[in-house]
Amino acid sequence: MSSTRTETITASDGGRYEGHLTVPDNGRGPGILLLQEIFGVGEFLLSKANDLAELGYVVMCPDVFWRVEPGIALPHDEGALQEAFGYMTRYMSEVPDETKVTDLGAALDHLRSLPEVAGQKVAVMGYCLGGFLAYTLACHFDPDAAVSYYGSGIADRLSDAENLTCPVVFHFGGSDPFIPNEQVDAIRAHLVDRDNVEIHVQHQAGHAFENFLAPQFHDVAAAAASWPLTVDFLERELRS
């Protein structure tokens, strides 16, 4: 059975924030830095962390919003959606881009330094906002692999992909109102010659189709199709 604890991460400016760590029952494994949706480090993200730990990975979920409001964990319902958008807007506007990147890099370095992970490969993975941040981190730091689920804003940052060298898998919904197909096509066209990039589109699905706690978004068929692709990718890239 997996175990959990809270880690304290030190940012480059000396600020300190928390990361929720899930360790598999064998006590060690490759690491995955799992980045949150706009709802924070809540039930959905921790459930995915547990799923990954059951596969043998050491998973840390850092508190991405700590500089604007620490400890956010909102319910995944319509009532909380506007509050979640508010936190995301504050994070994107109030925290400088360089600080966002260095905070994530500090979390990646912290995960790598843990005795349960030391000497093994580490990936970054994220959903929604976290999908964008996973891409950003992969462009600016050196994870061994990256998984991005429906990351809004990637099409506007394709110039960053010049530094994208690790294997990456992108998941999108073909009916996502927040990420139009034109943006997915732009990402595909920009990265078409990269043998380290996979792009998967669940054509019937909208945004946040993996989130089983958000009935307004969840798509059972799309989640069932995308998750094995992620599992196979992580197995191939982190255990080879």
Side-chain angles (χ1 to χ4, degrees):
M1 185 174 181
S2 61
S3 61
T4 64
R5 69 174 186 263
T6 299
E7 288 290 313
T8 300
I9 303 161
T10 301
S12 60
D13 63 0
R16 293 160 71 85
Y17 64 104
E18 293 185 349
H20 181 281
L21 189 75
T22 306
V23 180
D25 59 4
N26 68 352
R28 61 182 280 107
I32 297 177
L33 188 69
L34 184 59
L35 303 177
Q36 67 187 56
E37 304 171 299
I38 63 174
F39 297 99
V41 181
E43 187 177 353
F44 169 71
L45 201 72
L46 298 181
S47 174
K48 301 310 292 187
N50 189 65
D51 290 345
L52 292 164
E54 288 182 355
L55 295 172
Y57 299 105
V58 178
V59 186
M60 189 170 73
C61 305
D63 182 3
V64 169
F65 286 161
W66 71 280
R67 288 189 184 270
V68 294
E69 190 69 38
I72 296 300
L74 299 174
H76 295 74
D77 57 28
E78 291 285 356
L81 190 57
Q82 290 308 310
E83 185 178 1
F85 274 123
Y87 287 124
M88 179 190 68
T89 300
R90 287 184 59 197
Y91 172 72
M92 296 301 289
S93 63
E94 295 177 16
V95 181
D97 286 348
E98 183 178 354
T99 302
K100 294 185 188 80
V101 171
T102 56
D103 281 355
L104 296 170
L108 185 70
D109 289 344
H110 185 95
L111 178 60
R112 273 208 171 107
S113 74
L114 296 176
E116 295 92 343
V117 178
Q120 302 190 71
K121 292 183 177 181
V122 174
V124 59
M125 175 173 167
Y127 291 92
C128 185
L129 169 65
F132 169 74
L133 295 175
Y135 164 78
T136 301
L137 184 59
C139 291
H140 290 89
F141 281 83
D142 58 346
D144 295 291
V147 180
S148 171
Y149 272 89
Y150 31 81
S152 300
I154 292 173
D156 298 324
R157 297 290 184 91
L158 288 174
S159 60
D160 291 351
E162 178 182 351
N163 300 315
L164 185 65
T165 58
C166 73
V168 185
V169 60
F170 295 95
H171 293 286
F172 295 105
S175 300
D176 188 336
F178 300 104
I179 310 174
N181 286 326
E182 292 79 7
Q183 292 188 14
V184 178
D185 291 343
I187 294 166
R188 192 190 303 277
H190 193 82
L191 300 175
V192 66
D193 295 327
R194 301 288 193 92
D195 58 9
N196 61 320
V197 173
E198 301 176 24
I199 299 175
H200 301 287
V201 179
Q202 304 302 323
H203 292 285
Q204 81 284 6
H207 195 68
F209 58 77
E210 274 264 328
N211 193 335
F212 59 90
L213 294 174
Q216 71 271 37
F217 295 125
H218 187 217
D219 187 301
V220 175
S226 68
W227 183 246
L229 297 171
T230 294
V231 171
D232 289 348
F233 173 81
L234 292 171
E235 177 72 22
R236 184 170 69 248
E237 300 301 337
L238 296 187
R239 297 187 187 277
S240 60

